[in-house]
Amino acid sequence: MHDSLGELQKEAVAALEKAASLAALKEVEKNFLGKGGKVTGLLKGLKDLPDEEKKSFGKAVNDLKVALEGLYQSRSQILEREEIDRTLENDWIDLTAPGTQHETGHIHPLSETQEEVERIFQQMGFTIVDGPEVESEFYNFEGLNIPSYHPARDMQDTFFIDKAPHPTEGKMVLRTHTSPAGQVRALMQHGAPLRVICPGRCFRNEATDASHEHTFNQVEGLLIDEGISLAHLKGVMLEFLKRLFKRDLKVRFRPGYFPFVEPGLELDMSCPFCDQKGCRVCKHSGWIEFMGCGMTHPHVLKTAGIDSEKYQGWAFGFGLTRLVMMRYAIDDIRHLQNGDLRFNEQF
Ligand code: FA5
């Protein structure tokens, strides 16, 4: 009996030492020391032995159990250590390695400049308003003192929409400028006094080239109140340009013609890129044509139900797309909307 115990001990010790992983070691422990294990079986069988054998064999089996448990513990510590070393060897992280760069989106230069323009005018007390891109002839023309027979309709080549005309407002068009949003819709809706800007997309049915697109962005501005003159427009524009270009600039008015303002004017600004010394952007003139503007025509005020004896004001409209081209020295307007990521990623 004791001999077979010796055999069992050899077998268990060999199996414990051979186990190469914690899982294998656990399996060996189960086979010998677990509930149905060989050593446990011997302990359970003690009760059937005669008393004189029970004591000495019982002690021997118990000694074997204690010895195997000790061996199991020390083997399991060794294997645990080996497993930790293996993990450290295989799964190490180099904290000094440079991180992976993730591609992020870019704010389009048009949106960036529009946001800046909006912020500056908001700081000066203007509200941002919007209008529809598909307009009726009434809002795009008549409400702006441009009746159907007026030659000024030809100044803005119009896209007509293939859709039933509005019962009272004429044919539907893609708006050719942002003036309907400001001088007609905002004025009709809010009345006087009013201080708004309307940035938005406009459309013209014209051949495209480096400085003309069929789709482009404008910013319309409108200020109506009592006792308003062109001096206020000059002051607002000087302040706006100073905040936008971060330097003091000059402005000058030239006569211009737009049926919805009287007098109609063009505003030029001194070139912010060469301080009027002459450069490519200002075509060596020192001045850059910036926008159309003028005192709001009494007919426009009347159409909006405003007393033109009491209230006066001015309106302006500049090309946001052209402003972006100037700021970022973009030589072809078509780059801005052709969706080429190589262009967009530069900003
Ligand atoms: C107008 O559209 C007037 N509504 C502006 C105005 C508002 C005058 C209020 C008076 C009072 P004009 O057609 O000049 O004006 O256009 C204004 C600006 O839009 C131009 O100076 C130019 O910068 C831009 N623009 C016009 N057509 C195009 C085009 N095809 N592509 C890109 N920009 C354009």
Side-chain angles (χ1 to χ4, degrees):
M1 222 177 218
H2 283 271
D3 288 351
S4 64
L5 206 57
E7 286 304 309
L8 185 63
Q9 180 166 15
K10 267 191 214 158
E11 190 193 338
V13 170
L16 285 169
E17 280 175 352
K18 201 173 151 219
S21 69
L22 280 171
L25 188 71
K26 192 89 202 138
E27 195 57 31
V28 174
E29 191 243 15
K30 194 173 128 204
N31 289 343
F32 289 93
L33 301 168
K35 257 193 210 159
K38 291 181 185 170
V39 177
T40 318
L42 289 177
L43 284 169
K44 278 183 193 161
L46 284 177
K47 64 180 182 330
D48 303 325
L49 293 178
D51 282 350
E52 61 279 15
E53 275 182 40
K54 205 185 266 179
K55 206 172 166 199
S56 71
F57 190 65
K59 183 176 180 308
V61 176
N62 208 39
D63 288 348
L64 173 61
K65 183 175 176 254
V66 172
L68 291 181
E69 277 171 353
L71 187 57
Y72 170 74
Q73 285 304 332
S74 63
R75 278 294 291 151
S76 108
Q77 276 170 12
I78 291 167
L79 288 175
E80 224 166 79
R81 187 71 246 161
E82 280 176 11
E83 230 157 77
I84 291 171
D85 287 348
R86 234 185 342 267
T87 308
L88 287 176
E89 180 72 21
N90 296 333
D91 299 348
W92 63 279
I93 299 168
D94 181 358
L95 293 175
T96 62
T100 320
Q101 287 259 331
H102 291 285
E103 189 61 36
T104 53
H106 298 251
I107 301 203
H108 194 278
L110 251 176
S111 313
E112 200 171 49
T113 303
Q114 179 170 328
E115 277 169 22
E116 208 174 331
V117 167
E118 288 177 1
R119 199 168 45 244
I120 297 173
F121 276 104
Q122 277 176 318
Q123 286 164 354
M124 292 197 281
F126 285 75
T127 305
I128 319 288
V129 295
D130 202 1
E133 291 178 345
V134 176
E135 273 291 13
S136 65
E137 284 184 297
F138 169 75
Y139 284 104
N140 200 71
F141 297 118
E142 272 97 15
L144 288 160
N145 199 29
I146 316 176
S148 58
Y149 54 81
H150 201 292
R153 286 220 180 180
D154 297 339
M155 283 162 60
Q156 299 178 356
D157 298 305
T158 310
F159 283 115
F160 287 88
I161 298 285
D162 190 9
K163 186 178 159 194
H166 189 277
T168 54
E169 298 171 6
K171 291 187 205 138
M172 301 305 287
V173 302
L174 289 183
R175 69 174 175 198
T176 56
H177 50 172
T178 40
S179 296
Q183 295 181 65
V184 193
R185 287 188 180 273
L187 210 49
M188 280 176 130
Q189 191 180 345
H190 304 291
L194 189 64
R195 213 187 299 188
V196 292
I197 63 158
C198 331
R201 280 200 306 178
C202 310
F203 311 85
R204 290 192 196 173
N205 189 1
E206 46 183 87
T208 58
D209 59 28
S211 51
H212 293 85
E213 258 288 20
H214 47 71
T215 304
F216 57 95
N217 290 56
Q218 279 188 348
V219 177
E220 173 90 0
L222 180 72
L223 188 147
I224 308 287
D225 210 330
E226 293 179 50
I228 297 298
S229 75
L230 286 174
H232 298 109
L233 175 58
K234 188 176 175 188
V236 165
M237 291 318 292
L238 279 173
E239 189 58 32
F240 164 67
L241 293 170
K242 179 176 170 174
R243 292 189 194 185
L244 185 69
F245 288 101
K246 318 234 169 349
R247 62 207 302 138
D248 280 314
L249 295 178
K250 288 186 251 175
V251 295
R252 73 177 183 190
F253 289 120
R254 283 182 291 112
Y257 176 69
F258 303 95
F260 33 94
V261 283
E262 182 58 42
L265 303 157
E266 297 277 352
L267 180 136
D268 299 340
M269 63 177 189
S270 58
C271 182
F273 304 103
C274 65
D275 284 329
Q276 296 197 292
K277 287 185 192 79
C279 68
R280 232 168 50 101
V281 184
C282 63
K283 299 189 191 89
H284 298 278
S285 71
W287 293 97
I288 293 173
E289 289 179 22
F290 187 60
M291 65 180 198
C293 55
M295 297 299 289
T296 306
H297 198 291
H299 281 182
V300 174
L301 293 174
K302 233 173 263 163
T303 304
I306 290 165
D307 178 359
S308 60
E309 294 293 322
K310 184 171 178 202
Y311 290 106
Q312 311 76 44
W314 39 253
F316 65 77
F318 64 82
L320 185 73
T321 318
R322 296 255 176 93
L323 174 62
V324 172
M325 290 173 73
M326 187 166 72
R327 283 186 96 196
Y328 294 100
I330 297 163
D331 57 5
D332 194 321
I333 195 168
R334 291 165 292 196
H335 288 315
L336 283 157
Q337 285 177 132
N338 70 5
D340 189 338
L341 289 180
R342 289 172 304 174
F343 172 79
N344 293 345
E345 281 166 358
Q346 295 174 51
F347 298 92

